[in-house]
Amino acid sequence: MFKKILVANRGEIAVRVIRACRELGILSAAVYSDVDRAALHVLTADEAYSVGAAAAAESYLNIEKILDVAKRCGADAIHPGYGFLSENAKFAQACAGAGIKFIGPTAASMEKMGSKTRARQQMEKAGVPFVPGTSHGLESVQQAREVAAKIGYPVMLKAAAGGGGKGMRLVGSEQELQSALEAAQSEAQRAFGDGEVYLEKAILNPRHIEMQVLADEHGNTVYLGERECSIQRRHQKVMEEAPSPLVDAGMRRHMGEVAVRVAKAANYNNAGTVEFLVEQDPVNQEKSFYFLEMNTRLQVEHPVTELVTGLDLVNLQIRIAAGEKLPFTQEDILIRGHAIECRIYAEDADNNFFPSPGRIEMLLTPAGPGIRLDSGVYAGWNVPIDYDPLLAKLIGYGQDRQQAISRLTRALPEYFVAGIKTNLGLFRRILADGDFQSGKIDTGYLDRLLEAKAGSEHVEAEKSTAAIAAAVFSVLDSTSNPAASKPGAGPAESSWKRTARTEGLM
Amino acid sequence: MFKKILVANRGEIAVRVIRACRELGILSAAVYSDVDRAALHVLTADEAYSVGAAAAAESYLNIEKILDVAKRCGADAIHPGYGFLSENAKFAQACAGAGIKFIGPTAASMEKMGSKTRARQQMEKAGVPFVPGTSHGLESVQQAREVAAKIGYPVMLKAAAGGGGKGMRLVGSEQELQSALEAAQSEAQRAFGDGEVYLEKAILNPRHIEMQVLADEHGNTVYLGERECSIQRRHQKVMEEAPSPLVDAGMRRHMGEVAVRVAKAANYNNAGTVEFLVEQDPVNQEKSFYFLEMNTRLQVEHPVTELVTGLDLVNLQIRIAAGEKLPFTQEDILIRGHAIECRIYAEDADNNFFPSPGRIEMLLTPAGPGIRLDSGVYAGWNVPIDYDPLLAKLIGYGQDRQQAISRLTRALPEYFVAGIKTNLGLFRRILADGDFQSGKIDTGYLDRLLEAKAGSEHVEAEKSTAAIAAAVFSVLDSTSNPAASKPGAGPAESSWKRTARTEGLM
Amino acid sequence: MIYDVTIDGSSYRLDLNLDRATGRWRCLVGGREVEIDAVLAQPEVLSILIEGKAWQIRRERLASGLRIWVGDHSYGAEVSDPRSLRNRKVRGDAGKGPRHLVAPMPGKVVRFLVGENSPVEAGQGVVVVEAMKMQNEIKSPKKGTVLKLSVSEGAAVIAGDVLAIVE
Amino acid sequence: MIYDVTIDGSSYRLDLNLDRATGRWRCLVGGREVEIDAVLAQPEVLSILIEGKAWQIRRERLASGLRIWVGDHSYGAEVSDPRSLRNRKVRGDAGKGPRHLVAPMPGKVVRFLVGENSPVEAGQGVVVVEAMKMQNEIKSPKKGTVLKLSVSEGAAVIAGDVLAIVE
């Protein structure tokens, strides 16, 4: 087993990996940029090393600096988390070259899956269903017209190197095709340095369902069930669950077997996720699924799979990378209960979801039965503007989907973040929504919900209570010894109260 | 289903029940004594009512006041938690009389199990194995001598109404019998108002293993697996786990079936626990178990069963009391993984385990994969001297026992309580102990561990680190603007720093 | 002591008194007596009982003012004591006159979507600010003309910086 | 700046300086330079890096003095700046002279186990104090004679109250 693992990431996932290391008795080394010196992952690790300026390119994305730290501190493995360098085949290659184990698949597997067209070619060979279209970059408008005519409009143009909706265009008719293709190609060239664009049939508002796989280095590959990830905004997942309300045992087995075939086609090892688009025929309710892409890393939403399988994916990633065999077979894996994850972002859900960095003035966190919180922040932490806005993941587990929903609904009011805005209020709305509760979700669901006018949740009793409370706070502020001799009374006077008084607010 | 449940308890269990109510969409009403006005259960409930002075007899044990509140606020059910009125048959009777559902067994079942001798008589009829001895109170020293001679010394004298080690005497030989019997009888009379004492074979340092049962009001009774509760100090449980390292599938089934028989013999419904003493023959390793008593309420340690079964016992208690049928059969119940609970007490483990009430100045709580925290306190709360010292329960879940241990070991340093003493350090010691790790525990285990000299865990690196840190704190204290412009820097100056400076500490 | 409190636009007049010796409160809302009890659990966390109902109330102080949190709902609050000499802010009537587009968070100005003196529709994007790996379009609050672009592309801005003026 | 620090009885002399402009620390322990970096994460929580090792240190202030927590281990700490005029407390030599038995926590005196002028062994129970539903025996720290029982049975006591004196 490894002696020391360098965690090449930050935020909640770095904390998650550090915890897994500690549980395995492995030392953990954190890296941090200038603005992250006091970040939670630095406070949690056994060792911590500076890797430079705030801009990710100069720190968390800087292969040379990170490898240099790994060598200096004597790490024998690197866990990349998700994002940053986690899907960078060059980094995986560089680790191998430095004799440091990269905890993830080989560079060769990553490359096979890194280009969407190359992945489609692999899948074609392996007989895996994917959305009808081309498996090579489009060579001309003429070729695009021919393919589109064959598969029928609407079609989707996609960048081979794509991600995050860039270089992507929905084309409704032949007239739009040429300008859409040119725009997609130039956007892809700008965003990825690669203008390759292919075409596939557009599936409108499909479900996005993905299958977790695990493969050891001895040829054993298993699937751990699916995750429903259809609740998205701007192609970014917001809420995920396992199992999917749509998938039954038969479909799970079928998708799982396809996912294992995908992994084997890529000689895949370690944890990976095969993403599918799923559409359900509105008439006969028949469900079809198509290979979309493979994510060659741990996913943000891995906890929902952990809760329903009882397994620890990061623990298993490390053990697989250390050469261990999978400690179970497909038959041993059992899905029990239901888990739902809320991604808590620092963003202002009431104001265009603008990012909301800044200092967390106060933090109260939920707990109790069925509640797991994977957080990367603490009270007093200054959330920097330089990285993605994920603060924490709140995961609810229950005996069934309904209990998972009610536990999250119970936990949300226990969660309180002061000083910056979060999207906590959005989850209350989703959890209370009838379509969500009956599992009627697809990738268009969240936009439709947000367009609908939010019901006035502000009941009169709460408003008059808020009025009384606001006045009570004022009375207590003006007391030098607030609620003296009362149990649980707070400390004498906080600094902002003094400030407030000076400013005439009281 | 009920509309409003009055929670006749305080501390973590009151919070636990309130959360269960909220998840079921049921309003919760808390009660509080004078010192508990700002307690967490009051902050968490939908409604809260004062029931009097700090002394439990005047508040939480006052049947009349509690029923009066229940009627006034329109509660249609009462959850008693554990302790206080939870096993009080008179209270259950009074609730029934007032037309308010008592969430627990009937008064008649409680009475059947309330006296240990009466329970033994029931078990005799039901053919349940119990420790050899008398099933009726001893009538004379002569009778005691005859029985003791027949079953062989050492024997144990026990109060029929007993609990907490009171009215209990270990007798090693006939010479000690008379004075021990007289002492036990008078102690039982003083403690319980009932001098009845019986005699059974003494099992030295047995294991204490209990079986959770659930019975609905339609004749369905199931068992949910066992809990190992052998780690005790002064007959008080400190750490529990599920499953027991000793119990295999066959023994579990056997004990479970006996427990169901016990419950049926008492016409039991709702959640209950059948306690067994288990001894293992040191030569042939054969295991025998004996009925000890039945606890007619929810147990403190119920979360370990919840984690390995995936069920919510409080939720099920409420649904059973509302007349629902059990939503599963014995065959549906599946034990997966391993869970261990640490009872976090306000006591000074380094100083005779003296209680340590007072104000919690700071509280940091653990989280992440496999960690559940059921807490009844918060930073700023003043832990009163009037009630038992349980602050919270930290529960670790893992794929297997080893992972549960390593997750707790990982979580303990994340947990920090300042201002009062706790027994957190004790768990580090137990979790690191070889005998504990290999499952060699019995009711004498913890005393033996505490007698052994604690190894010096204070390594030199930590001491010099502490020295540097102490000085760094002093430097930062003396800065009016500590670590200015540093990310995550704390607020300007806390009140105790001003105080400290005034007192010349800096 | 009289307090005038505004909660999300609704006004309440409260007469609130704490007897510090007994810890008892006396509370009139709009002249009607309401039975309350309140203690501070943590510096910004209040436990308040109003005629039996238990509420855990949290207060958040933002640059933009007070927010009172009731469970997971929050309300903008203004508290004023009528004896106070301080005048309440008079809110500008939205929609008329030149309006400032301000950065809602710190970030980097990526590009302007319209030029100076160009006409804009209400809701049309004027400038893109990048923060936390996201590109955020700051939109015009009204139909009109972009009078001025106040910062240059590539500039780092902090929350509240004026980005453009729309007339 | 020189600090003399005592950690659970071990003494350390530190020369510690913070350059407030750069946030850089200079630290000598017993004359040897040690590379450190430190920032306050929360008011009593310090993140300190010592030659690569990362530590999260928490400070607890008790009536009995400072405790420094390194993970889940805690250490009694005394910090003094030699330029300070304040003299350090001279510790009484344990074992000699009359000793006070004090209540380790608030509670109620249930009963005395020995009378005044009775002989006691070291470790023998002298008085039982009830708190948090538990009866706690306060034991004699030394062999000797109970000079005085300072409170009466049934009395409520607070932490630090003298219960008895043993000579």
Side-chain angles (χ1 to χ4, degrees):
Chain A
M1 184 45 73
F2 307 117
K3 292 203 167 38
K4 189 186 292 182
I5 293 177
L6 182 131
V7 184
N9 216 301
R10 66 179 301 282
E12 70 83 21
I13 193 60
V15 175
R16 169 74 185 89
V17 175
I18 289 164
R19 281 174 167 153
C21 291
R22 191 149 298 149
E23 290 169 12
L24 281 161
I26 300 169
L27 289 172
S28 55
V31 292
Y32 61 91
S33 74
D34 290 351
V35 293
D36 271 348
R37 168 61 186 88
L40 188 59
H41 73 286
V42 177
L43 269 76
T44 311
D46 293 311
E47 303 179 13
Y49 301 93
S50 163
V51 284
E58 294 178 45
S59 47
Y60 299 109
L61 283 171
N62 189 314
I63 294 180
E64 206 175 308
K65 277 187 192 163
I66 286 177
L67 271 181
D68 181 55
V69 166
K71 284 184 250 177
R72 262 197 299 138
C73 76
D76 43 8
I78 292 184
H79 196 299
Y82 51 70
F84 293 126
L85 294 170
S86 62
E87 294 186 282
N88 186 314
K90 268 188 210 138
F91 181 58
Q93 195 63 61
C95 289
I100 295 172
K101 180 77 184 188
F102 176 84
I103 300 174
T106 60
S109 299
M110 281 160 92
E111 270 166 357
K112 258 186 197 151
M113 291 297 169
S115 150
K116 292 190 183 183
T117 44
R118 241 174 299 146
R120 284 169 70 95
Q121 292 157 33
Q122 292 289 332
M123 295 312 104
E124 210 163 14
K125 272 190 254 168
V128 166
F130 54 89
V131 181
T134 59
S135 292
H136 292 84
L138 293 166
E139 278 152 24
S140 65
V141 182
Q142 186 49 40
Q143 189 200 2
R145 279 204 194 98
E146 286 164 19
V147 181
K150 206 161 66 194
I151 63 175
Y153 288 90
V155 298
M156 192 69 91
L157 296 171
K158 284 186 177 178
K166 288 211 177 86
M168 207 158 135
R169 287 291 184 283
L170 178 65
V171 183
S173 66
E174 187 167 333
Q175 292 89 291
E176 305 165 27
L177 189 62
Q178 179 162 2
S179 70
L181 179 61
E182 284 162 8
Q185 282 169 332
S186 81
E187 193 172 299
Q189 184 66 43
R190 273 205 315 277
F192 313 112
D194 174 2
E196 184 180 345
V197 165
Y198 68 102
L199 181 154
E200 61 180 35
K201 183 161 178 54
I203 298 178
L204 297 176
N205 293 339
R207 284 184 181 243
H208 178 126
I209 298 178
E210 60 188 26
M211 183 62 67
Q212 176 71 51
V213 296
L214 266 188
D216 66 21
E217 299 180 355
H218 308 274
N220 306 300
T221 306
V222 297
Y223 62 90
L224 302 184
E226 81 284 358
R227 292 182 288 260
E228 166 81 58
C229 307
S230 299
I231 301 187
Q232 305 184 349
R233 207 183 65 83
R234 287 185 175 189
H235 301 283
Q236 191 173 38
K237 296 170 189 170
V238 171
M239 207 170 177
E240 305 95 342
E241 60 186 296
S244 163
L246 188 77
V247 176
D248 55 27
M251 185 172 176
R252 178 169 307 121
R253 195 179 330 108
H254 188 186
M255 284 178 88
E257 284 163 2
V258 167
V260 167
R261 223 186 306 152
V262 169
K264 291 201 167 191
N267 291 320
Y268 200 84
N269 62 56
N270 217 290
T273 295
V274 179
E275 296 194 334
F276 295 99
L277 289 185
V278 180
E279 66 176 347
Q280 184 163 28
D281 189 298
V283 182
N284 65 12
Q285 301 297 308
E286 210 167 275
K287 295 167 268 188
S288 321
F289 63 88
Y290 305 103
F291 171 79
L292 184 62
E293 63 177 306
M294 181 164 192
N295 293 319
T296 58
R297 55 164 162 85
L298 189 70
Q299 301 273 93
V300 176
E301 58 272 26
H302 73 277
V304 295
T305 299
E306 294 186 324
L307 286 169
V308 298
T309 59
L311 300 173
D312 182 325
L313 290 183
V314 181
N315 175 294
L316 289 163
Q317 280 194 298
I318 295 171
R319 289 164 62 188
I320 287 170
E324 289 187 22
K325 283 192 181 170
L326 280 177
F328 43 71
T329 63
Q330 190 63 55
E331 289 65 45
D332 300 323
I333 293 159
L334 207 111
I335 308 293
R336 186 176 77 186
H338 200 98
I340 303 177
E341 172 181 281
C342 304
R343 297 193 186 192
I344 314 302
Y345 289 120
E347 60 186 22
D348 187 351
D350 296 327
N351 184 17
N352 293 308
F353 291 90
F354 283 142
S356 181
R359 187 178 145 91
I360 296 176
E361 298 295 341
M362 184 174 175
L363 181 64
L364 301 174
T365 54
I371 293 302
R372 168 173 163 185
L373 183 66
D374 277 23
S375 175
V377 300
Y378 59 89
W381 169 239
N382 209 324
V383 180
I385 68 161
D386 308 276
Y387 313 109
D388 88 28
L390 186 67
L391 299 174
K393 300 178 314 202
L394 174 65
I395 311 114
Y397 173 83
Q399 197 186 318
D400 49 33
R401 189 167 188 266
Q402 192 199 321
Q403 190 170 64
I405 291 174
S406 33
R407 281 180 163 170
L408 281 173
T409 305
R410 179 273 290 172
L412 282 170
E414 297 180 13
Y415 207 157
F416 179 60
V417 183
I420 61 174
K421 305 276 190 185
T422 74
N423 63 342
L424 274 167
L426 175 64
F427 298 107
R428 182 184 64 228
R429 220 178 134 187
I430 296 172
L431 291 166
D433 178 61
D435 279 346
F436 173 76
Q437 289 180 353
S438 57
K440 283 187 209 132
I441 45 178
D442 58 53
T443 52
Y445 165 79
L446 190 51
D447 284 338
R448 294 193 300 274
L449 183 77
L450 291 171
E451 272 163 35
K453 195 154 173 55
S456 171
E457 300 165 290
H458 296 188
V459 290
E460 183 49 38
E462 283 198 359
K463 286 177 77 170
S464 62
T465 297
I468 296 172
V472 166
F473 271 118
S474 293
V475 172
L476 295 178
D477 288 343
S478 65
T479 313
S480 58
N481 190 8
S485 84
K486 280 276 185 180
E493 189 176 54
S494 75
S495 61
W496 76 251
K497 279 180 205 155
R498 287 194 304 278
T499 313
R501 184 165 308 120
T502 315
E503 294 171 2
L505 289 174
M506 296 182 183
Chain B
M1 184 45 73
F2 306 117
K3 294 205 165 37
K4 189 185 292 181
I5 293 176
L6 181 133
V7 184
N9 216 302
R10 65 179 301 283
E12 69 84 20
I13 193 60
V15 175
R16 168 74 185 88
V17 175
I18 290 164
R19 282 173 167 154
C21 291
R22 192 150 297 149
E23 290 168 13
L24 280 161
I26 300 169
L27 289 172
S28 55
V31 292
Y32 61 91
S33 74
D34 290 351
V35 294
D36 271 347
R37 168 62 186 88
L40 187 59
H41 72 286
V42 176
L43 269 76
T44 312
D46 292 312
E47 304 179 12
Y49 302 94
S50 164
V51 285
E58 294 178 45
S59 48
Y60 299 109
L61 283 172
N62 189 316
I63 294 180
E64 207 174 306
K65 278 187 191 161
I66 286 176
L67 272 181
D68 181 56
V69 167
K71 284 184 251 177
R72 262 197 300 139
C73 77
D76 42 9
I78 293 185
H79 196 299
Y82 52 70
F84 293 126
L85 294 170
S86 62
E87 294 185 283
N88 186 316
K90 268 188 209 138
F91 181 58
Q93 195 63 60
C95 289
I100 296 172
K101 181 76 183 188
F102 176 84
I103 299 174
T106 61
S109 299
M110 281 160 93
E111 272 167 355
K112 257 185 199 153
M113 291 296 169
S115 149
K116 292 190 183 182
T117 45
R118 240 174 298 146
R120 283 169 69 96
Q121 292 156 33
Q122 293 287 333
M123 295 313 104
E124 209 163 14
K125 271 190 257 168
V128 167
F130 54 90
V131 182
T134 60
S135 291
H136 291 84
L138 292 166
E139 277 153 24
S140 64
V141 182
Q142 186 48 38
Q143 190 202 1
R145 279 203 194 98
E146 286 165 20
V147 181
K150 207 160 66 194
I151 62 175
Y153 289 89
V155 298
M156 192 69 92
L157 296 171
K158 285 185 176 177
K166 286 208 179 91
M168 207 160 134
R169 287 290 183 287
L170 178 65
V171 183
S173 67
E174 188 169 331
Q175 292 88 291
E176 305 165 27
L177 189 62
Q178 179 161 4
S179 71
L181 178 61
E182 284 161 10
Q185 283 170 332
S186 81
E187 192 171 301
Q189 183 66 42
R190 273 203 316 277
F192 313 111
D194 175 0
E196 185 181 347
V197 166
Y198 69 103
L199 181 155
E200 62 181 36
K201 183 162 177 51
I203 298 178
L204 298 177
N205 293 338
R207 283 181 181 247
H208 179 126
I209 299 178
E210 60 188 28
M211 183 63 66
Q212 177 72 50
V213 295
L214 266 188
D216 65 21
E217 299 180 356
H218 307 274
N220 305 301
T221 306
V222 297
Y223 62 90
L224 302 183
E226 81 285 358
R227 294 184 287 260
E228 165 81 59
C229 308
S230 300
I231 301 188
Q232 305 184 348
R233 207 182 66 81
R234 286 186 177 189
H235 302 281
Q236 192 173 37
K237 295 171 189 168
V238 171
M239 208 171 176
E240 304 95 344
E241 60 186 297
S244 163
L246 188 77
V247 176
D248 55 29
M251 185 172 176
R252 178 170 307 122
R253 194 178 332 107
H254 188 184
M255 284 177 88
E257 284 163 2
V258 166
V260 167
R261 225 187 302 152
V262 168
K264 293 202 166 187
N267 291 319
Y268 200 86
N269 63 57
N270 218 289
T273 296
V274 180
E275 296 195 333
F276 295 98
L277 289 184
V278 180
E279 65 176 348
Q280 185 164 27
D281 189 298
V283 181
N284 65 12
Q285 303 294 310
E286 209 166 274
K287 294 167 267 187
S288 320
F289 63 87
Y290 304 104
F291 171 79
L292 184 61
E293 61 177 307
M294 180 162 190
N295 293 320
T296 58
R297 53 163 163 84
L298 189 70
Q299 301 273 92
V300 176
E301 58 271 24
H302 73 276
V304 294
T305 298
E306 295 186 323
L307 286 168
V308 298
T309 59
L311 301 172
D312 183 325
L313 290 183
V314 181
N315 175 293
L316 289 163
Q317 280 194 299
I318 295 171
R319 290 164 60 189
I320 287 170
E324 290 188 20
K325 282 192 183 172
L326 280 178
F328 43 70
T329 63
Q330 190 63 56
E331 289 63 46
D332 300 324
I333 292 160
L334 206 111
I335 309 293
R336 186 176 77 184
H338 200 98
I340 304 177
E341 172 180 281
C342 303
R343 296 193 186 191
I344 315 301
Y345 288 121
E347 61 185 19
D348 188 351
D350 296 328
N351 185 16
N352 293 305
F353 291 90
F354 283 141
S356 181
R359 187 177 145 93
I360 296 176
E361 298 295 341
M362 183 175 177
L363 181 64
L364 302 174
T365 54
I371 293 302
R372 168 172 163 187
L373 184 66
D374 278 23
S375 175
V377 300
Y378 59 89
W381 169 238
N382 208 324
V383 180
I385 67 160
D386 309 277
Y387 313 109
D388 88 29
L390 186 67
L391 299 174
K393 300 177 315 201
L394 174 66
I395 310 113
Y397 172 83
Q399 196 186 322
D400 50 31
R401 189 166 188 265
Q402 192 199 320
Q403 190 170 65
I405 291 174
S406 34
R407 281 178 164 172
L408 281 173
T409 304
R410 179 274 289 174
L412 282 170
E414 297 181 13
Y415 207 158
F416 179 59
V417 183
I420 61 173
K421 305 277 189 182
T422 74
N423 63 342
L424 275 166
L426 176 63
F427 297 107
R428 182 184 64 228
R429 222 180 132 186
I430 296 173
L431 292 165
D433 178 61
D435 280 345
F436 173 76
Q437 290 181 349
S438 57
K440 283 189 209 129
I441 44 177
D442 58 52
T443 51
Y445 165 79
L446 189 52
D447 285 337
R448 293 194 300 274
L449 183 77
L450 291 171
E451 271 163 35
K453 195 155 173 55
S456 171
E457 300 165 290
H458 296 188
V459 289
E460 183 48 39
E462 284 198 358
K463 286 177 77 170
S464 63
T465 298
I468 295 172
V472 166
F473 271 118
S474 292
V475 172
L476 296 176
D477 287 343
S478 65
T479 314
S480 56
N481 191 8
S485 84
K486 281 276 184 178
E493 188 176 55
S494 74
S495 61
W496 75 251
K497 278 181 206 153
R498 288 194 304 277
T499 313
R501 185 167 306 122
T502 316
E503 294 172 1
L505 288 175
M506 294 179 183
Chain C
M1 177 89 157
I2 304 288
Y3 292 88
D4 280 327
V5 182
T6 310
I7 299 291
D8 273 5
S10 308
S11 296
Y12 298 84
R13 170 156 290 201
L14 289 110
D15 186 354
L16 196 62
N17 291 285
L18 168 61
D19 179 336
R20 301 194 194 281
T22 62
R24 281 180 193 278
W25 293 83
R26 191 162 174 276
C27 174
L28 287 93
V29 181
R32 187 179 79 84
E33 176 138 19
V34 176
E35 193 190 321
I36 75 161
D37 182 56
V39 293
L40 210 55
Q42 289 185 307
E44 297 291 317
V45 180
L46 193 68
S47 167
I48 179 161
L49 306 182
I50 304 181
E51 300 185 331
K53 300 276 172 294
W55 306 89
Q56 187 184 153
I57 310 288
R58 296 134 183 181
R59 180 172 64 172
E60 185 181 18
R61 291 180 69 91
L62 299 169
S64 52
L66 287 183
R67 290 203 78 79
I68 299 289
W69 289 80
V70 183
D72 46 7
H73 296 176
S74 87
Y75 300 87
E78 283 179 59
V79 181
S80 71
D81 151 12
R83 291 181 304 182
S84 152
L85 295 174
R86 198 167 59 89
N87 291 321
R88 265 178 280 168
K89 235 187 288 174
V90 178
R91 286 172 178 267
D93 48 343
K96 284 183 198 151
R99 295 283 295 276
H100 290 186
L101 258 68
V102 299
M105 69 276 160
K108 206 180 88 176
V109 175
V110 177
R111 64 183 167 277
F112 284 95
L113 301 170
V114 292
E116 282 189 4
N117 301 317
S118 310
V120 283
E121 296 297 315
Q124 186 182 338
V126 175
V127 50
V128 178
V129 177
E130 185 173 289
M132 303 186 105
K133 288 177 63 191
M134 294 194 292
Q135 301 211 339
N136 310 280
E137 249 182 57
I138 316 298
K139 300 185 168 88
S140 174
K142 58 182 277 187
K143 183 177 162 72
T145 306
V146 176
L147 278 190
K148 188 175 187 305
L149 302 179
S150 315
V151 289
S152 50
E153 289 190 358
V157 291
I158 62 165
D161 277 1
V162 175
L163 305 173
I165 301 172
V166 177
E167 164 75 75
Chain D
M1 178 86 154
I2 303 287
Y3 292 87
D4 281 325
V5 182
T6 310
I7 299 292
D8 273 4
S10 307
S11 297
Y12 298 85
R13 170 155 289 200
L14 288 110
D15 187 353
L16 196 62
N17 291 285
L18 168 62
D19 179 337
R20 301 194 194 281
T22 62
R24 279 180 195 278
W25 293 84
R26 190 160 175 276
C27 174
L28 288 94
V29 181
R32 187 179 80 83
E33 177 137 18
V34 176
E35 193 189 318
I36 75 161
D37 182 55
V39 293
L40 210 54
Q42 288 184 307
E44 297 291 316
V45 181
L46 193 69
S47 168
I48 178 160
L49 306 182
I50 304 181
E51 299 186 330
K53 300 275 172 298
W55 306 89
Q56 186 184 152
I57 310 287
R58 297 136 182 179
R59 180 171 63 172
E60 186 181 17
R61 289 180 70 91
L62 299 169
S64 53
L66 288 182
R67 291 203 77 79
I68 299 290
W69 289 80
V70 183
D72 45 8
H73 295 176
S74 86
Y75 300 87
E78 283 178 61
V79 182
S80 72
D81 152 12
R83 292 180 305 184
S84 152
L85 296 175
R86 196 168 59 90
N87 290 320
R88 266 178 280 168
K89 236 187 286 172
V90 179
R91 288 172 176 264
D93 47 343
K96 284 183 198 152
R99 295 284 294 276
H100 289 186
L101 259 71
V102 298
M105 69 275 163
K108 204 181 88 177
V109 175
V110 178
R111 62 182 168 278
F112 284 96
L113 301 170
V114 291
E116 283 188 3
N117 301 316
S118 309
V120 284
E121 296 297 315
Q124 186 182 338
V126 175
V127 49
V128 178
V129 177
E130 186 174 288
M132 303 186 106
K133 289 177 64 192
M134 294 194 291
Q135 301 211 339
N136 309 281
E137 249 182 56
I138 315 299
K139 299 185 169 91
S140 175
K142 58 182 275 188
K143 183 177 160 72
T145 306
V146 176
L147 278 190
K148 189 175 185 305
L149 302 179
S150 314
V151 289
S152 50
E153 290 190 358
V157 292
I158 61 166
D161 276 1
V162 175
L163 305 173
I165 302 173
V166 176
E167 164 77 74

